Amino acid sequence: MSPPVFLGSAGLIVAFVLYGAIFTSHAETTFDAVQSGIVFYFGWFYVLSASLMLIFAIGVACSRFGGIRLGGEEARPEFHGVTWFTMLISAGMGIGLVFFGVAEPVAHYLRPVDADPESREAIRQAIFYSFFHWGVHPWAIYIAIALPLAYFHFRYGLPLAPRSMLYPVIGERYRGWAGHTVDILCTVGTLFGVGTSLGLGAMQINAGLNMIGGVPVSLPVQLLTIGLITTVATISVVTGLKVGIRRLSQFNLILAGLILAFVIVCGPTVRILETFTSGIGRYLQQLPQASFRIDHQTAGAWQSEWTLFYWSWWIAWSPFVGIFAARISKGRTIREFITVMLLVPTLTGCLWFAALGGTALSIEHQEAAGGIAEAMGQYGEAEEGTPIAFYALLDRLPLSGWTSALGTLVIVLFFITSSDSGSLVDVMVTSGGNENPPTPYRIFWCVAEGVVAASLLIAGGLTALRTASLTPALPMTVLLLVGCGGLIRALRADARQSGRVSLDRLRGDSGGQE
């Protein structure tokens, strides 16, 4: 254990949990005020930084450094391609795809940012912004931390912890208070990011159980769900990366693929394929403009609710996905690493939104009554209505009982893989970058994630979940930009020394001092 990191992270998290549980009303008000302040004053920073990270990822992949192999020229991948991809996407955005796959396009259709509600243009915008929020930007954010960590860990033997990104900038001082601070920040950010995802998952599982078996939609049911699934996730993380996490990820992607195939076949197949194709074209065409858009006058509230929430969520989530992706990517070339992480999950996510979201929009646009939005409205405000959207779609397709049960199983498994992968990352960071940390620490962090998710639901539901993502993401954005700059320095130094640069030379090249 690294005492400063473990105790510092645990102390902050315990304080947060007690604050949310004891001073619930005050916490809810505070979360709302913090969210509004960050969005108003620093929204531009999130937008600019996310786009810069995308430029960084594309630039490095296309550069002469793309052929460098993580771990040395003799290193070979530990996991074959399909397994590697399934673990990446399960960790990267599993629960979120199911939670927002129907709800987000429908929400954009009803409240578009630049079109008349429920119009043809609103449909096109709904698909575009769903692609935009789940496309290359999130994965570029993940690459901004995953690639520097993988490079410094496998190339130079530095710890697989966020502090290692500081080495080209401050040298051996990365082992001191600066490194401790960065690791604490990323541990807490990871816990809040995973906690946000788990909170969304618990809400959606509750909605599914309500449709399937009449289980009431209530906070106690959601808390019980978190408790039960956290127990299963704890067992998974104890069994390790190559057994529990790998096999659950593979099985879960198979089930999600079955749901996707079912919707494509039983839904408006030709319309889905047209939506996917035209959506990709529109996405590529409008990506540059949308990437830098900031419009407080006409789209301020919309941007804070969607784009800025997503960008901050991905950033808060990035240490978890970044460290996990780095851990499983030894032997990959830099170009392969970036290309696969940018393109394959993006295309998968776009197909998911085209199928589920496109089918929902088709139903919504054609039916004067009885659409997806009406089903969502039966559960009250957005917090209650959003989780039901996925099941409302399945209910309008054949075999709805079976597919709803299968969908619930997929959400449960995504819940488990997110929790066990996140806790594994937290324990690696708090144990000094140890790739195989002790079992008691794994149990502690897995339980802590469940407790944080429960506290967020108690202390304000969806608002608290959003704020938990926004708050730690602000300083972490600075860290990611520093990491990108440090990696470029390291790659240049490595190239000048023909791959034989030492840590001391690397530090000297970057100007770091003892």
Side-chain angles (χ1 to χ4, degrees):
M1 182 179 69
S2 174
V5 179
F6 183 91
L7 297 177
S9 303
L12 286 174
I13 291 162
V14 168
F16 172 83
V17 169
L18 292 177
Y19 173 59
I22 298 174
F23 305 100
T24 305
S25 298
H26 188 271
E28 186 171 358
T29 303
T30 302
F31 290 152
D32 186 56
V34 169
Q35 177 179 339
S36 301
I38 291 177
V39 166
F40 182 79
Y41 291 106
F42 297 100
W44 66 270
F45 184 55
Y46 285 133
V47 170
L48 179 61
S49 298
S51 298
L52 289 177
M53 292 175 204
L54 177 58
I55 294 171
F56 160 80
I58 295 173
V60 172
C62 296
S63 72
R64 67 184 190 276
F65 307 121
I68 296 176
R69 191 172 295 276
L70 301 173
E73 296 306 317
E74 303 300 321
R76 291 297 176 264
E78 183 179 3
F79 302 98
H80 65 74
V82 175
T83 300
W84 181 48
F85 164 68
T86 58
M87 294 169 74
L88 281 176
I89 198 168
S90 291
M93 50 182 55
I95 289 179
L97 277 176
V98 182
F99 189 87
F100 289 106
V102 177
E104 180 172 351
V106 171
H108 294 329
Y109 172 72
L110 298 176
R111 290 188 299 151
V113 63
D114 289 321
D116 294 329
E118 304 181 44
S119 63
R120 283 287 182 183
E121 179 60 24
I123 292 178
R124 287 188 284 268
Q125 284 198 12
I127 294 299
F128 168 75
Y129 279 109
S130 298
F131 284 14
F132 177 62
H133 292 146
W134 295 81
V136 292
H137 277 84
W139 292 96
I141 291 170
Y142 295 157
I143 289 169
I145 186 170
L147 185 57
L149 287 179
Y151 187 82
F152 295 138
H153 177 66
F154 294 123
R155 194 81 169 175
Y156 299 116
L158 295 181
L160 193 59
R163 67 172 63 219
S164 297
M165 294 195 299
L166 300 178
Y167 192 89
V169 180
I170 64 175
E172 288 296 331
R173 288 180 305 207
Y174 88 105
R175 302 181 187 275
W177 67 267
H180 296 331
T181 301
V182 165
D183 283 353
I184 290 171
L185 172 67
C186 289
T187 300
V188 175
T190 295
L191 207 68
F192 284 168
V194 176
T196 299
S197 183
L198 300 188
L200 297 177
M203 293 164 64
Q204 193 166 34
I205 291 170
N206 190 180
L209 294 176
N210 176 263
M211 285 199 68
I212 297 170
V215 177
V217 176
S218 65
L219 181 60
V221 173
Q222 294 165 12
L223 297 181
L224 179 61
T225 301
I226 291 174
L228 292 175
I229 298 182
T230 298
T231 302
V232 179
T234 303
I235 297 173
S236 174
V237 77
V238 168
T239 60
L241 181 64
K242 295 184 179 181
V243 181
I245 297 176
R246 184 188 69 177
R247 291 178 179 174
L248 280 176
S249 298
Q250 292 173 330
F251 181 59
N252 203 23
L253 261 293
I254 292 173
L255 296 182
L258 290 176
I259 292 178
L260 178 61
F262 173 81
V263 174
I264 292 175
V265 171
C266 296
T269 306
V270 175
R271 184 68 176 271
I272 289 172
L273 297 177
E274 290 175 348
T275 298
F276 175 73
T277 304
S278 62
I280 290 292
R282 191 180 182 95
Y283 176 56
L284 294 175
Q285 181 183 27
Q286 297 186 5
L287 180 63
Q289 179 181 1
S291 297
F292 294 94
R293 177 176 181 174
I294 301 174
D295 189 350
H296 286 299
Q297 291 185 347
T298 61
W302 183 92
Q303 279 194 307
S304 68
E305 183 178 352
W306 292 105
T307 304
L308 296 181
F309 162 66
Y310 275 130
W311 280 193
S312 61
W313 189 17
W314 305 135
I315 292 169
W317 188 264
S318 64
F320 154 43
V321 181
I323 295 173
F324 185 74
R327 169 66 180 82
I328 64 176
S329 299
K330 182 178 181 180
R332 307 283 175 183
T333 65
I334 289 178
R335 185 171 293 113
E336 177 187 14
F337 181 82
I338 294 176
T339 302
V340 171
M341 281 192 70
L342 275 183
L343 297 184
V344 178
T346 295
L347 291 174
T348 302
C350 289
L351 182 58
W352 180 272
F353 276 100
L356 277 74
T359 301
L361 291 174
S362 179
I363 295 172
E364 192 67 28
H365 192 67
Q366 293 174 6
E367 296 186 10
I372 307 297
E374 181 177 330
M376 294 169 60
Q378 293 175 359
Y379 285 81
E381 300 299 327
E383 183 173 335
E384 290 79 22
T386 301
I388 204 65
F390 173 69
Y391 295 100
L393 170 66
L394 296 180
D395 190 50
R396 282 155 178 78
L397 296 174
L399 304 174
S400 59
W402 289 97
T403 55
S404 295
L406 181 61
T408 302
L409 178 59
V410 168
I411 298 167
V412 169
L413 291 178
F414 271 135
F415 195 136
I416 294 171
T417 53
S418 295
S419 181
D420 58 15
S421 302
S423 59
L424 180 63
V425 167
D426 279 335
V427 72
M428 286 168 58
V429 174
T430 55
S431 60
N434 184 1
E435 293 186 19
N436 297 290
T439 298
Y441 301 155
R442 301 185 188 200
I443 295 174
F444 172 84
W445 286 113
C446 200
V447 172
E449 285 172 355
V451 173
V452 166
S455 299
L456 288 170
L457 287 178
I458 292 172
L462 203 56
T463 298
L465 293 173
R466 292 179 185 274
T467 307
S469 295
L470 281 165
T471 307
L474 187 57
M476 284 171 57
T477 304
V478 178
L479 172 65
L480 296 187
L481 294 176
V482 170
C484 292
L487 177 64
I488 292 174
R489 286 186 174 186
L491 290 171
R492 290 175 175 172
D494 202 358
R496 282 197 291 270
Q497 297 297 327
S498 300
R500 294 186 295 274
V501 64
S502 66
L503 285 176
D504 291 335
R505 288 176 179 174
L506 170 60
R507 183 184 47 169
D509 178 82
S510 64
Q513 300 294 326
E514 285 286 337

